[in-house]
Amino acid sequence: MLKVLSGALAVGIVGGVVAASMYSGTPEAHISPAVGVESNAGVAQRAAAVPSPSYDVLSSYQGSATQTSSSRMTVTAASLPTRVSSTTVAAVTLSPSSGPVGTSVAVSGSGFQKNTTGTLTAGSSAISIRTNGAGVFSATWVVPATTAATFTLAATVAKVSASKTFTVTYPVTVPAISTAHLRFGVATVGGAQANTELDQVATISGESPSIVLSYYDFNQAASIADLNSVAARGATSLLTWEPWTWGGGLNQTAYQSATIASGTYDTYIKSWGTALAAWGKPVMLRYGHEMNGNWYPWADGVNGNASGSYVAAYRHVHDVLVASGATNVIWVWSPNVPYYGSTPITTEYPGDDYVNDVALDGYNWGLDRVGGSWKSPSTVFGEGLTELRGLASTKPIIVAETASSENGGSKAQWNTDLVSYLAAQPDVTGFVWFDLNKEVDWRIDSSTTSASAFNAALAARR
């Protein structure tokens, strides 16, 4: 309680100022203002102080008898400002914050006492640290051999501590490639070097793919890095080489088959041949796939291509690569499964001397395509396999692209039927699953039942 003697007197209230007055002969105190705001002045020096919500101002008048009176000043909650701390909160950061055993971790801290020695602890190890004039330190910690899931890195300087957790990652054990006659291959969104995606497919499927499918247009060089990445997995690369510019649409006159056959792109084609020859290992190459459809600019009947021009371009590309020394290339000729209105594959076949393997691309679209219906694997591939055998009876057959929708039937059953159907045919040596969420969610694990059935089907054919 603050006491006012006679007359007017200014008094301080938690950093604020209030005028208290007492009129002569009247034992009544007056304060102005009656509602106030706590001052910020000096708050940092008395951060522990808690302001009272109100204050009594007592006035005393001494005449023939002492008389007193009081008034109350209220400090409203809304007027109480937030206190600013006099100290900065200490913090520790890690870069990276996760990784395997052996990872070198940059540890930094801030907000600690300046120019002071402290300790950084992680498990049973301790590292001496020292802050600079800004209260900052840096140190390096290497993840030791461990089976722990995490480490807490705690920095202590004087009486201030802060910590951060590091997560230890462990290599995923990837299933091996199967030695089954029917090879399993895959295409993923990230391409040949997307090892995390390929490992995920392997884990889901119960075996690693032995064929990795990737795509290139006529503006890309032969990627030796892609080939090396796939080879490091023990798998074979299947390169889809598309004579167009991606995103350029169906009508790209610069890539008419007659232009390619005339030698316009020979320098570029030779660069591929030279690179593949220097690499030296077997590599599967399919030039201008699905040529019996009407959705690519290399197909006869579109983009100004005359009948027979696809075969002429294919043979020319083949001959240029071979002349460049690329005898390690396995040539894969890969039409789409026949459909109503498709170009007969007999008119698109380059001849036995230009082809090592024949292939088919075929999908079960289910009800995801307008007017579509659910089709079994035998319905999707039966006619095409018969035509391939009549055209190239001595050639191994692969399914170069396939997958199924979920819409219209049981994808799990379709997966089971696909593998058993193909495995029962000795001249079919492999299939490649198109594991992308593109026009449809084609991925193996589009549902848990699909993934489980696919895994079981591959195991059954081993």
Side-chain angles (χ1 to χ4, degrees):
M1 181 177 292
L2 301 172
K3 188 172 183 178
V4 180
L5 299 177
S6 62
L9 179 66
V11 296
I13 301 180
V14 195
V17 176
V18 176
S21 63
M22 184 171 180
Y23 300 102
S24 176
T26 306
E28 179 180 355
H30 298 273
I31 59 174
S32 178
V35 177
V37 179
E38 180 196 19
S39 168
N40 280 326
V43 169
Q45 286 73 28
R46 48 186 180 75
V50 178
S52 173
S54 62
Y55 300 87
D56 289 329
V57 179
L58 177 66
S59 63
S60 178
Y61 178 78
Q62 290 183 309
S64 58
T66 299
Q67 302 179 65
T68 63
S69 179
S70 66
S71 288
R72 178 171 294 262
M73 174 186 174
T74 300
V75 181
T76 61
S79 69
L80 297 176
T82 302
R83 282 189 169 83
V84 180
S85 173
S86 61
T87 59
T88 302
V89 177
V92 170
T93 59
L94 309 177
S95 180
S97 60
S98 65
V101 169
T103 299
S104 180
V105 181
V107 185
S108 59
S110 61
F112 292 90
Q113 188 169 327
K114 302 174 183 178
N115 299 314
T116 305
T117 299
T119 304
L120 174 68
T121 59
S124 60
S125 64
I127 302 171
S128 178
I129 55 176
R130 184 171 179 80
T131 60
N132 61 17
V136 172
F137 76 84
S138 61
T140 300
W141 173 72
V142 178
V143 183
T146 183
T147 58
T150 60
F151 277 94
T152 298
L153 280 77
T156 301
V157 178
K159 295 183 179 181
V160 177
S161 296
S163 63
K164 200 75 171 178
T165 299
F166 181 90
T167 301
V168 184
T169 60
Y170 294 92
V172 176
T173 301
V174 179
I177 291 174
S178 171
T179 58
H181 173 73
L182 180 69
R183 300 175 69 182
F184 161 53
V186 72
T188 66
V189 67
Q193 297 185 55
N195 285 303
T196 298
E197 295 173 4
L198 296 171
D199 288 347
Q200 289 172 344
V201 169
T203 300
I204 292 166
S205 306
E207 68 180 65
S208 287
S210 69
I211 300 171
V212 176
L213 171 63
S214 52
Y215 297 82
Y216 309 86
D217 72 1
F218 245 43
N219 297 288
Q220 294 170 274
S223 176
I224 302 305
D226 284 0
L227 296 174
N228 285 334
S229 183
V230 173
R233 302 181 63 87
T236 303
S237 289
L238 172 54
L239 312 180
T240 299
W241 200 12
E242 302 178 341
W244 68 334
T245 293
W246 286 344
L250 183 61
N251 294 310
Q252 299 189 37
T253 56
Y255 297 106
Q256 289 176 341
S257 293
T259 302
I260 294 170
S262 71
T264 300
Y265 293 95
D266 280 7
T267 299
Y268 169 67
I269 296 169
K270 287 176 183 177
S271 72
W272 269 67
T274 301
L276 296 179
W279 193 66
K281 304 178 185 70
V283 53
M284 304 170 79
L285 177 67
R286 61 173 191 161
Y287 168 85
H289 66 304
E290 299 177 7
M291 76 301 296
N292 58 327
N294 60 3
W295 46 86
Y296 286 129
W298 52 84
D300 289 354
V302 301
N303 194 33
N305 295 324
S307 178
S309 60
Y310 169 80
V311 169
Y314 180 107
R315 289 175 175 172
H316 181 78
V317 171
H318 173 280
D319 291 344
V320 172
L321 257 68
V322 171
S324 301
T327 56
N328 53 318
V329 171
I330 301 167
W331 289 86
V332 179
W333 179 70
S334 182
N336 196 76
V337 292
Y339 63 94
Y340 180 78
S342 64
T343 303
I345 64 173
T346 53
T347 66
E348 306 302 306
Y349 186 58
D352 287 352
D353 292 342
Y354 293 87
V355 175
N356 298 110
D357 290 5
V358 292
L360 286 172
D361 291 359
Y363 293 82
N364 172 33
W365 288 82
L367 302 181
D368 284 313
R369 176 173 279 177
V370 176
S373 62
W374 190 263
K375 295 181 179 180
S376 67
S378 60
T379 301
V380 173
F381 293 107
E383 181 183 354
L385 290 173
T386 298
E387 292 189 16
L388 287 184
R389 289 171 182 137
L391 189 62
S393 60
T394 63
K395 303 295 184 182
I397 299 172
I398 65 171
V399 171
E401 290 183 26
T402 192
S404 176
S405 165
E406 293 268 7
N407 189 8
S410 169
K411 183 171 179 176
Q413 187 61 53
W414 198 92
N415 296 346
T416 301
D417 294 344
L418 172 74
V419 178
S420 61
Y421 172 71
L422 297 178
Q425 305 182 60
D427 57 350
V428 178
T429 60
F431 75 98
V432 178
W433 191 274
F434 190 76
D435 199 60
L436 279 75
N437 186 357
K438 195 182 173 190
E439 311 91 345
V440 172
D441 190 351
W442 301 115
R443 295 173 298 178
I444 296 166
D445 61 343
S446 57
S447 65
T448 55
T449 54
S450 171
S452 296
F454 193 87
N455 183 301
L458 289 184
R461 69 88 166 81
R462 289 200 282 268

